[in-house]
Amino acid sequence: MTVMINLDRVDSRVTGGYIGAQRAEETAAVVPAARLRVLDWLRITSAEGDWRRFERLAALALHLHPEGLGPILATVLATRPA
């Protein structure tokens, strides 16, 4: 339950507009779990096919630099429907 609450909080902060380094850091400061959970959220949203949310979270992750981001993005790019 907490995972989804944090996901919703993060998603509400990154919806609408460019997600740059400053916005990513501000989001991580407000929701500290974002740094630890963003990879899980990417897996969840890709499994659900929620591509808009996935793209927002991927943009956030690019600036948070979590270990293991590359393989997740590569898998999605290789398997996501056109």
Side-chain angles (χ1 to χ4, degrees), residues 41-60:
W41 297 335
L42 287 170
R43 288 183 191 100
I44 290 167
T45 55
S46 68
E48 293 174 346
D50 188 350
W51 300 116
R52 290 192 187 273
R53 185 178 251 191
F54 179 90
E55 290 170 359
R56 291 190 297 270
L57 293 170
L60 173 68

Side-chain angles (χ1 to χ4, degrees), residues 25-82:
E25 288 300 326
E26 290 168 356
T27 299
V30 172
V31 186
R35 289 189 187 279
L36 300 172
R37 303 299 304 202
V38 70
L39 296 179
D40 294 331
W41 297 335
L42 287 170
R43 288 183 191 100
I44 290 167
T45 55
S46 68
E48 293 174 346
D50 188 350
W51 300 116
R52 290 192 187 273
R53 185 178 251 191
F54 179 90
E55 290 170 359
R56 291 190 297 270
L57 293 170
L60 173 68
L62 287 174
H63 296 289
L64 298 181
H65 307 286
E67 186 72 32
L69 177 60
I72 292 172
L73 295 179
T75 299
V76 168
L77 288 172
T79 60
R80 178 180 170 184

